[in-house]
């Protein structure tokens, strides 16, 4: 058994929590008397821990022999969304076929928690998925497109195609996230989704999309709101997430200043997700 560990400032705790949401082997500990946290991921194989170290830094050490196998094989529970989607961590083809057969009315999405780039378990992702299902229900029989800013694992873009989107494009500044997302596209047999490496702070919108998802932190959204507006038409909808409850009022006001109106705001724990449209739309 091996463990990857890294010390980080406590101010980044939420970012680490979101990064490893749905990863049952991850442990985040606040160190008493210090503004520091320790992030750990327990792995059965050394190469798994080293892969995390190569991505995030930190260190890898071997633990004394114990019965860690059961824990390392544990998977997060499936996420069922509005009777339309079922997000699972399973990646074995034979088991996925069994799951699909057992849930014939659900679109099954496989997002392994191996590197945890957004498995669908975090409050931000789960809430956007619910809002997307509601949006897609009203678009049945009509073509629609989706833009996914800060795609992570690609789960939102994949879900969009499963829900009927004719086209989806996603981006992330993290090349490892892009690689994982592209693997997930293949795993879920998507055909109309493209995911590329791009920094949203430098990215320039070149077209308009029917549905825009921006699961980004507040400080990034602050700069990206004008770009989101340029990516929308009068009929478009936007989902913004990744916002801490303590930051939500200021963040959404910036969105409104950029030209958005938020019609639904959902708080789950310390996270806020909002659904909006362009101001002035009838």
């Amino acid at each position: 058994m091996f463990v990857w560990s890294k010390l980080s400032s406590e101010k980044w705790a939420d970012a680490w929590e979101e990064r490893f949401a749905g990863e049952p082997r991850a442990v985040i500990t606040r160190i008493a008397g210090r503004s520091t946290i320790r992030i750990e991921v327990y792995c059965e194989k050394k190469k798994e821990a080293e892969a995390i170290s190569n991505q995030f830094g930190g260190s890898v050490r071997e633990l004394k022999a114990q019965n860690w196998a059961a824990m390392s094989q544990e998977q997060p529970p499936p996420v069922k969304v509005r009777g339309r989607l079922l997000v699972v961590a399973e990646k074995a083809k034979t088991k996925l076929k069994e799951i699909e057969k057992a849930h014939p009315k659900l679109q099954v999405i496989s997002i392994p928690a191996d590197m945890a780039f957004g498995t669908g378990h975090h409050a931000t992702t789960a809430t956007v998925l619910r809002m997307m299902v509601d949006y897609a229900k009203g678009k049945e029989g009509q073509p629609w497109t989706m833009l996914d800013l800060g795609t992570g694992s690609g789960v939102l873009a994949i879900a969009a195609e499963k829900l009927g989107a004719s086209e989806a494009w996603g981006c992330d500044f993290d090349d490892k996230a892009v690689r994982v997302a592209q693997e997930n596209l293949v795993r879920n047999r998507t055909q109309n989704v493209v995911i590329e490496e791009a920094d949203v702070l430098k990215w320039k919108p070149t077209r308009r999309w029917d549905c825009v998802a921006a699961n980004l932190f507040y400080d990034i959204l602050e700069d990206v709101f004008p770009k989101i507006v340029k990516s929308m038409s009068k009929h478009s909808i936007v989902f913004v997430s990744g916002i801490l409850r303590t930051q939500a009022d200021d963040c959404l006001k910036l969105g409104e200043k950029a030209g958005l109106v938020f019609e639904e705001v959902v708080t789950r724990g310390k996270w806020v997700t909002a659904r909006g449209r362009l101001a002035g739309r009838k």
Side-chain angles (χ1 to χ4, degrees):
M1 187 68 185
F2 298 84
V3 61
W4 166 82
S5 64
K6 180 181 177 69
L7 295 177
S8 178
S9 171
E10 189 174 21
K11 70 179 182 178
W12 298 112
D14 294 312
W16 287 110
E17 177 185 318
E18 183 170 22
R19 174 64 79 186
F20 288 106
E23 172 54 84
R25 304 171 300 176
V27 178
I28 298 178
T29 306
R30 285 169 171 79
I31 301 176
R34 297 170 59 185
S35 299
T36 305
I37 59 172
R38 178 184 292 109
I39 310 98
E40 298 174 308
V41 180
Y42 292 84
C43 305
E44 186 176 6
K45 298 180 180 179
K46 186 177 182 180
K47 65 179 183 180
E48 295 175 333
E50 289 178 338
I52 302 175
S53 180
N54 290 337
Q55 181 178 340
F56 298 116
S59 60
V60 174
R61 72 179 190 277
E62 186 174 7
L63 300 178
K64 293 182 179 179
Q66 298 185 47
N67 185 23
W68 294 103
M71 185 185 77
S72 66
Q73 294 172 0
E74 183 182 354
Q75 293 183 347
V79 177
K80 188 177 181 180
V81 185
R82 296 277 202 263
R84 290 289 303 277
L85 301 174
L86 186 68
V87 184
V88 300
E90 182 59 62
K91 58 183 178 181
K93 291 182 179 180
T94 53
K95 292 186 178 180
L96 282 173
K97 287 182 179 179
E98 292 175 1
I99 294 173
E100 291 172 348
K101 186 176 181 180
H103 300 88
K105 296 183 179 181
L106 299 176
Q107 292 283 353
V108 177
I109 301 176
S110 170
I111 306 291
D114 297 349
M115 295 300 290
F117 285 101
T119 59
H121 290 76
H122 195 274
T124 58
T125 311
T127 304
V128 173
L129 284 170
R130 289 181 176 88
M131 290 182 173
M132 282 182 59
V133 168
D134 293 341
Y135 170 76
K137 186 176 181 180
K139 300 291 289 186
E140 289 184 3
Q142 304 175 46
W144 57 280
T145 60
M146 190 263 196
L147 172 64
D148 186 12
L149 301 175
T151 191
S153 66
V155 61
L156 296 180
I158 293 169
E161 181 176 298
K162 299 285 187 182
L163 292 169
S166 58
E167 182 183 0
W169 184 83
C171 69
D172 202 292
F173 77 98
D174 189 327
D175 63 332
K176 303 295 193 305
V178 171
R179 176 180 57 78
V180 168
Q182 291 172 343
E183 291 173 355
N184 286 333
L185 295 185
V186 175
R187 178 177 293 108
N188 288 281
R189 305 183 297 278
T190 54
Q191 299 183 17
N192 302 306
V193 179
V194 174
I195 292 177
E196 298 177 323
E197 182 180 348
D199 184 342
V200 294
L201 297 176
K202 299 177 181 178
W203 165 77
K204 295 181 180 180
T206 58
R207 56 170 290 186
R208 301 182 188 277
W209 302 81
D210 298 311
C211 176
V212 179
N215 191 358
L216 305 165
F217 288 116
Y218 168 40
D219 56 342
I220 299 177
L221 276 171
E222 180 178 358
D223 291 326
V224 175
F225 272 131
K227 298 183 180 184
I228 290 174
V229 169
K230 290 181 180 179
S231 301
M232 299 171 64
S233 70
K234 63 180 181 179
H235 299 297
S236 300
I237 192 169
V238 62
F239 308 119
V240 295
S241 198
I243 309 166
L244 287 170
R245 183 173 54 190
T246 55
Q247 302 169 332
D249 288 344
D250 290 340
C251 182
L252 297 183
K253 285 179 182 178
L254 287 171
E256 292 169 351
K257 185 178 180 180
L260 297 173
V261 174
F262 295 103
E263 300 175 313
E264 181 182 11
V265 179
V266 176
T267 301
R268 293 186 64 191
K270 57 187 174 183
W271 298 97
V272 169
T273 301
R275 174 178 56 83
R277 58 173 174 82
L278 290 181
R281 190 187 78 183
K282 298 296 184 179

